[in-house]
Amino acid sequence: MKLKRLTIYGFGHFHDRTFDLTDGLNFLVGPNEAGKSTLTQFITAILFGFPTKKHPELRYEPLDGSRFGGEMQFVQADVTYTVTRTAGPHGGKVTLHNDTTDLALPANNLAGLLAPVDQQLFTSVYAINEPRLGQVFAASKQELIDRLRHVGAVGSDFWLTQAHQLDQQADSRYKPQGRNPILNQQLQAHRELTDKLAKADAAYGTYWQLLQEQQDLRQQQAQTQDQLAQQRQVTAQLTQQAASWPAFAEWQRLGQLADQPVPSGFSADDATQLEQLRGQVTATEKALTADQQRVQDLQQTAQLPPLFQEYLPVAAQVDPLLTQLPAVQQAAQMQQQLAAQQRDLQQRSTALETQYAVGGQMPRPFSLATLQQVKDLQERLTAANQKRRRIQQHLNQLNERYQQQQPTRQQQRNPLADKQLIWLAVGLVVLVGSLLLPGTLFKLVGALCGVAVGYYGVFQVDSSTPASRELEDLTADIRDNQAQLREGGHLVDDLTTQLDVIGEAHGLGNVPLAQWSAAQTAIAEWERLSRQMEEQGAQLAKAKQTIAEFLTAVGQVLPSLATSDFATVATQLADLQARQQASQTQSGELASLTERLRTDQRAADEASHALAIFLSTRNLRSVAAFYDRYQTQRERQNQAQQRTTLAQQIGPANLAALQQVADQASLTQSVQQAQTQQAQLQQTLDQTTTRLATLAGQLAHLTASGTQATLRQRLANLETQMVATTQEWLVQRLTSQWISATLAAASGDRLPQIVAQASKLYGKLTENRYTEIELTATTLRVRRADGAWRNVGQLSRGTAEQLDLAVKLAFAIVMQQQVAMPLLIDDGFVNFDADRRQAAYALLAEISQTVQIIFLTADTAVERLNTGNLIRLND
């Protein structure tokens, strides 16, 4: 599995964020609290589900209230998938989509794609951080073996659980130092009963109760014997069917072969016809060889050129090639022209790529809708910038007017305002003086005059000046223009952001906006050049193929020209054609032999053609293939006879019964069930018989020692239970050991590979200070360069973490064929010194050729490594 893209809707402090990953080494760099651990938990959650709300610290629900979840695009087995997980029950709502075939898949298919990796294995091996590397101090061989079994054996989780349950059940029955297990309690009870039996006095039981029990048991014994006889018949039939299963499987296999269609044309008559055709081919080839030998003798006598001597025996095959020579020469001229044009187109394409390509990738062209959108955004951006400039100019003018019209102290004073207190004082004096006047009417008129004077002084006299009022208007205009300027800035930022998003989406992030139009023209020109190169490449390949096929055909009939180039071959064939035309006027035996040679060649070709038609009508390439088919048909007849014999051997009844069985496993299970039921009936019968024997002894000795007989019976029953408990304990313990041995056989061969690989990686991490890793029964230990061994507890924390890192990397490399998972490393090298940290980076770059690595770190030194895909989390 290789991760391609992470899209976060809302997870922790991330929202609406996308990360594009490459197949090899990916560095995600950011300081503390940049979200490195959040990304690790995001990948784990998308693959295996969100933790429950009982663990809110692991859920990373979005802090801004955005939609919880995200999606992940990954590639597995050359197929691209997209898995989306959002908030919902049972680990979140999951959707799975096959991007290669554009099909929606059931959500439960995700577990099948991840199998056999589950969340526990992923977090313990593939999700690496500093605390988990520290767990190497408690590592053991059994933990690594369990990881291997989990991946190396299909269904191992179930069997490991079964083995663990069997061990627990066995421990619940017996432990050497235990008290609560059943067998331990039975042993204690056995000792107590033995002591009681030795000390017990004679006592009497109830004779008639024992006698009634004896009668009931005898009736039960008879019924059990009848059931056991019937069950034995059923078990015998099923056992016989199980024994016949190999023959039945062979009968089924032969039946499948018999159902396959048998091609016609492979009978004994066909074999006779084939031999006749082969005889004709042999005879014509012998005649042709004799005439060729005679022609060679005459040619040597006539002292003909070697090429012409070589031509004469194969003239019938060379003449068509001479006819093709002009067309092939024209193809050679076209090849030279196309090669020159191809070089010119490549130079022009390379120039465009040098100018616009980023990371070897040309920008993508705009669609018509995108082109119109960019045009509209540019026009709106231009208009917004122009409006901002006009507003800014107007604002500057207003500011200048404001500075020029700042009032002086004298202008700020209002004479009438200075006299407000005087007017108020005069009004008050008039009001008080009116109260001293005689007569109510005079007092009322005087009071009204005093109030009018005070009202005029307070409310009618305006304290402001024309200059102050103009400044207030300017201030209002300035504030209004500033608000418009801020609004225009927001609009410009929004339009710029939209253009930046379009540029990033089409690979134009490094191209200035003003050059986008020229870039689109260049992209169109580059695509046109690419198409022309493809078309001319196809024509050039066709011309090369024509020349190559012509040279091959010439080399087959004229071996002396097999290693010559086309120019030499064309010259030689032209000379040969001229000599051929000159030799047509010659007469005599050579001409006669040449004609007869051509006749022989035609006869040989016709015989070979007839043989080829005979084989092609049967879809064969050779005579040996015919005889293989012929032998296969004879084997089919033998298989049909064998199938009939097997059916008779199995018998009609068993054959009909076996045809109703799904597979051998179900038949074996039926046999085991029948045997188990028979064993249970037999056990019941044995218990009944044992009880009857016990009752007979009790009845015989009841009058003499009733209490002793009861204790003896209890002791006998206890011993029977102890035997049964011991048998169950042995079955459970042996079954658990068998499961462990089987799973170890299925995956144990990979353990030496992992240890050997880990030793190599550990040597590179520690600069060859440690050269070997040994996995003991309880822990890991390493050998130093001087030969001394060190346990994990004797290593420094950084060196121990490097050991755990080497083991986990080795595990991922060796298990790559079974489990192709990416490695997530979250600041795992914090305890490494500078040299070993650089060695670790070099090692990651090396293994990233086969394993995808996502390294999240706060170490900005990785930006200077010039390797891998670098992503800055704060960008």
Side-chain angles (χ1 to χ4, degrees):
M1 172 185 292
K2 299 294 178 64
L3 304 185
K4 292 184 64 178
R5 182 179 294 110
L6 307 177
T7 302
I8 303 177
Y9 304 152
F11 197 85
H13 71 276
F14 287 116
H15 65 90
D16 297 330
R17 187 76 183 271
T18 300
F19 299 93
D20 292 320
L21 305 176
T22 60
D23 292 347
L25 182 57
N26 297 269
F27 288 107
L28 282 78
V29 184
N32 294 334
E33 298 184 359
K36 299 185 291 298
S37 300
T38 303
L39 281 175
T40 302
Q41 184 61 25
F42 173 79
I43 294 174
T44 305
I46 295 298
L47 291 176
F48 301 103
F50 300 124
T52 62
K53 293 188 177 180
K54 295 180 180 179
H55 303 282
E57 72 279 2
L58 299 178
R59 286 177 60 84
Y60 287 85
E61 295 193 20
L63 303 178
D64 58 354
S66 57
R67 186 166 61 136
F68 183 31
E71 66 182 44
M72 177 189 301
Q73 187 180 65
F74 63 91
V75 177
Q76 182 166 323
D78 296 332
V79 179
T80 303
Y81 300 89
T82 297
V83 57
T84 303
R85 191 183 296 271
T86 55
H90 308 296
K93 180 181 178 181
V94 181
T95 59
L96 182 63
H97 187 268
N98 186 326
D99 297 341
T100 302
T101 60
D102 195 20
L103 292 176
L105 302 177
N108 54 12
N109 284 16
L110 178 61
L113 293 175
L114 297 175
V117 176
D118 55 13
Q119 184 173 1
Q120 179 181 1
L121 181 63
F122 182 82
T123 55
S124 62
V125 176
Y126 295 96
I128 301 173
N129 55 24
E130 193 273 335
R132 290 175 185 152
L133 287 178
Q135 295 175 359
V136 68
F137 292 99
S140 68
K141 181 178 182 180
Q142 189 60 40
E143 292 178 356
L144 186 57
I145 289 175
D146 288 344
R147 294 176 188 171
L148 282 173
R149 291 174 180 172
H150 183 90
V151 179
V154 177
S156 60
D157 287 342
F158 170 79
W159 290 110
L160 286 171
T161 302
Q162 293 296 317
H164 181 66
Q165 292 177 353
L166 288 170
D167 286 336
Q168 290 180 338
Q169 293 173 3
D171 290 340
S172 68
R173 285 176 169 79
Y174 174 71
K175 280 186 178 181
Q177 304 299 328
R179 292 184 179 181
N180 296 326
I182 299 173
L183 187 55
N184 295 75
Q185 295 179 0
Q186 290 174 344
L187 289 171
Q188 181 64 28
H190 187 273
R191 288 191 291 270
E192 293 176 356
L193 282 176
T194 303
D195 294 340
K196 289 181 180 180
L197 185 61
K199 300 177 180 179
D201 296 329
Y204 291 99
T206 305
Y207 174 82
W208 293 107
Q209 291 179 353
L210 295 177
L211 186 60
Q212 182 63 40
E213 183 182 358
Q214 186 182 45
Q215 293 176 354
D216 295 339
L217 287 174
R218 285 176 179 173
Q219 183 178 1
Q220 180 182 353
Q221 183 183 39
Q223 294 175 353
T224 304
Q225 288 174 344
D226 294 338
Q227 295 176 359
L228 182 60
Q230 296 176 1
Q231 186 61 38
R232 283 174 177 169
Q233 292 180 356
V234 173
T235 303
Q237 292 176 355
L238 290 175
T239 303
Q240 185 179 5
Q241 293 174 8
S244 302
W245 182 265
F248 173 74
E250 180 66 16
W251 179 82
Q252 283 184 319
R253 186 186 69 82
L254 294 175
Q256 294 174 354
L257 294 176
D259 294 337
Q260 296 177 359
V262 179
S264 60
F266 299 93
S267 63
D269 295 337
D270 297 317
T272 302
Q273 182 182 356
L274 176 61
E275 290 299 324
Q276 292 175 354
L277 292 175
R278 293 180 65 189
Q280 292 177 6
V281 171
T282 302
T284 54
E285 288 179 349
K286 287 183 179 179
L288 179 62
T289 302
D291 291 338
Q292 288 175 346
Q293 183 63 40
R294 179 59 180 161
V295 169
Q296 290 177 1
D297 295 338
L298 291 175
Q299 290 172 348
Q300 292 177 359
T301 303
Q303 296 182 352
L304 296 174
L307 182 61
F308 193 77
Q309 295 177 10
E310 186 179 2
Y311 156 76
L312 290 176
V314 292
Q317 303 176 30
V318 176
D319 289 344
L321 297 176
L322 294 175
T323 304
Q324 301 174 15
L325 181 59
V328 178
Q329 289 176 330
Q330 184 177 2
Q333 295 176 358
M334 182 180 295
Q335 176 186 355
Q336 296 177 354
Q337 296 174 358
L338 290 173
Q341 295 175 3
Q342 189 84 350
R343 289 192 296 271
D344 179 60
L345 292 175
Q346 184 63 45
Q347 291 175 357
R348 294 163 62 187
S349 176
T350 303
L352 292 175
E353 291 176 355
T354 303
Q355 184 176 2
Y356 292 102
V358 178
Q361 184 69 32
M362 283 289 290
R364 293 183 294 280
F366 291 155
S367 62
L368 292 178
T370 305
L371 186 62
Q372 184 62 38
Q373 182 182 4
V374 171
K375 183 178 179 181
D376 294 340
L377 290 174
Q378 287 178 331
E379 292 177 352
R380 291 174 61 191
L381 181 59
T382 302
N385 285 325
Q386 292 175 353
K387 183 177 180 181
R388 288 190 65 197
R389 286 194 294 270
R390 290 196 301 270
I391 295 173
Q392 185 64 51
Q393 292 174 358
H394 189 212
L395 180 61
N396 294 338
Q397 294 173 359
L398 292 175
N399 286 328
E400 291 177 0
R401 291 177 56 190
Y402 183 86
Q403 295 296 330
Q404 293 174 0
Q405 297 185 13
Q406 282 290 333
T408 63
R409 287 188 176 181
Q410 186 64 30
Q411 291 173 333
Q412 291 176 358
R413 296 184 58 188
N414 188 349
L416 292 177
D418 296 337
K419 296 179 180 181
Q420 282 182 338
L421 294 176
I422 298 175
W423 284 101
L424 185 61
V426 171
L428 183 61
V429 170
V430 173
L431 177 62
V432 173
S434 65
L435 297 177
L436 302 176
L437 294 176
T440 304
L441 179 60
F442 291 106
K443 292 180 179 180
L444 179 60
V445 172
L448 290 175
C449 290
V451 171
V453 172
Y455 177 83
Y456 174 79
V458 174
F459 296 102
Q460 296 299 318
V461 177
D462 188 0
S463 63
S464 62
T465 66
S468 64
R469 286 194 295 271
E470 185 175 358
L471 282 177
E472 290 177 358
D473 294 337
L474 281 175
T475 302
D477 291 339
I478 289 172
R479 290 175 180 173
D480 180 65
N481 278 268
Q482 288 175 341
Q484 294 181 21
L485 192 63
R486 286 193 298 272
E487 182 179 356
H490 293 326
L491 178 59
V492 169
D493 292 341
D494 182 57
L495 294 174
T496 303
T497 301
Q498 295 183 41
L499 288 170
D500 290 342
V501 170
I502 294 174
E504 291 295 336
H506 291 78
L508 294 171
N510 298 327
V511 179
L513 180 62
Q515 300 179 12
W516 279 15
S517 178
Q520 289 299 308
T521 303
I523 292 170
E525 175 67 13
W526 179 81
E527 290 184 342
R528 185 183 65 79
L529 292 175
S530 299
R531 288 193 297 271
Q532 289 184 357
M533 284 192 291
E534 290 179 0
E535 294 173 358
Q536 293 185 359
Q539 296 176 2
L540 182 61
K542 183 177 180 180
K544 289 182 179 179
Q545 183 179 4
T546 300
I547 297 172
E549 291 176 351
F550 181 78
L551 291 176
T552 301
V554 171
Q556 289 177 351
V557 295
L558 298 174
S560 62
L561 299 178
T563 59
S564 302
D565 57 10
F566 177 73
T568 303
V569 170
T571 302
Q572 293 292 335
L573 289 181
D575 294 342
L576 183 64
Q577 191 172 19
R579 183 171 291 278
Q580 176 196 24
Q581 295 173 357
S583 65
Q584 289 178 354
T585 60
Q586 296 179 358
S587 60
E589 185 179 3
L590 181 59
S592 175
L593 280 174
T594 302
E595 183 63 28
R596 191 169 67 188
L597 191 62
R598 292 175 179 173
T599 303
D600 293 341
Q601 182 66 49
R602 285 194 295 271
D605 292 340
E606 291 174 356
S608 299
H609 183 64
L611 179 60
I613 291 176
F614 177 88
L615 295 175
S616 63
T617 55
R618 292 160 177 78
N619 295 323
L620 300 176
R621 294 181 178 272
S622 64
V623 175
F626 172 86
Y627 284 109
D628 289 341
R629 293 283 186 88
Y630 179 66
Q631 185 64 28
T632 300
Q633 188 170 4
R634 295 184 61 186
E635 290 176 358
R636 293 283 180 83
Q637 297 173 354
N638 295 335
Q639 290 169 356
Q641 183 62 35
Q642 292 176 8
R643 192 166 186 264
T644 303
T645 304
L646 287 173
Q648 295 174 354
Q649 177 183 346
I650 297 172
N654 285 337
L655 187 61
L658 288 172
Q659 288 177 335
Q660 304 301 320
V661 178
D663 50 23
Q664 188 177 9
S666 60
L667 179 59
T668 302
Q669 184 178 4
S670 299
V671 173
Q672 292 175 350
Q673 291 175 352
Q675 291 174 346
T676 301
Q677 189 172 358
Q678 179 180 339
Q680 291 174 351
L681 289 173
Q682 185 64 50
Q683 183 180 7
T684 302
L685 182 60
D686 293 341
Q687 292 175 352
T688 304
T689 303
T690 302
R691 181 58 180 164
L692 284 172
T694 302
L695 288 176
Q698 288 177 346
L699 291 171
H701 299 87
L702 186 60
T703 56
S705 57
T707 302
Q708 278 187 339
T710 301
L711 291 174
R712 291 183 185 278
Q713 183 60 43
R714 289 174 58 191
L715 188 60
N717 293 340
L718 180 60
E719 290 174 349
T720 302
Q721 295 174 1
M722 290 172 64
V723 171
T725 303
T726 303
Q727 292 176 347
E728 292 174 353
W729 177 83
L730 285 173
V731 169
Q732 292 163 351
R733 184 65 73 188
L734 292 176
T735 303
S736 173
Q737 294 175 357
W738 176 83
I739 291 174
S740 299
T742 302
L743 293 179
S747 58
D749 58 331
R750 298 182 182 90
L751 185 58
Q753 300 178 32
I754 292 178
V755 174
Q757 183 69 31
S759 298
K760 296 179 182 178
L761 300 180
Y762 194 46
K764 293 179 180 180
L765 286 172
T766 61
E767 300 176 326
N768 294 322
R769 181 178 178 84
Y770 296 93
T771 59
E772 183 179 354
I773 297 175
E774 183 182 68
L775 193 61
T776 67
T778 58
T779 186
L780 290 168
R781 67 173 189 166
V782 295
R783 184 198 295 270
R784 296 199 325 181
D786 58 3
W789 288 94
R790 293 288 185 270
N791 292 327
V792 175
Q794 297 173 312
L795 302 176
S796 68
R797 183 174 185 84
T799 306
E801 290 179 358
Q802 292 154 19
L803 172 61
D804 196 13
L805 176 64
V807 174
K808 290 181 177 179
L809 293 180
F811 185 95
I813 294 172
V814 173
M815 303 307 294
Q816 182 74 5
Q817 296 298 327
Q818 285 74 28
V819 183
M821 294 295 293
L823 279 172
L824 305 180
I825 305 177
D826 181 9
D827 263 347
F829 303 161
V830 295
N831 291 322
F832 293 12
D833 59 35
D835 293 337
R836 295 194 179 181
R837 188 179 297 115
Q838 293 301 318
Y841 291 152
L843 183 59
L844 294 182
E846 177 184 343
I847 68 173
S848 66
Q849 302 299 321
T850 56
V851 179
Q852 185 186 33
I853 297 177
I854 302 172
F855 189 84
L856 304 103
T857 181
D859 186 7
T860 57
V862 300
E863 298 179 359
R864 299 188 295 272
L865 296 179
N866 296 324
T867 181
N869 178 29
L870 180 64
I871 300 174
R872 296 179 177 87
L873 296 179
N874 287 340
D875 287 350

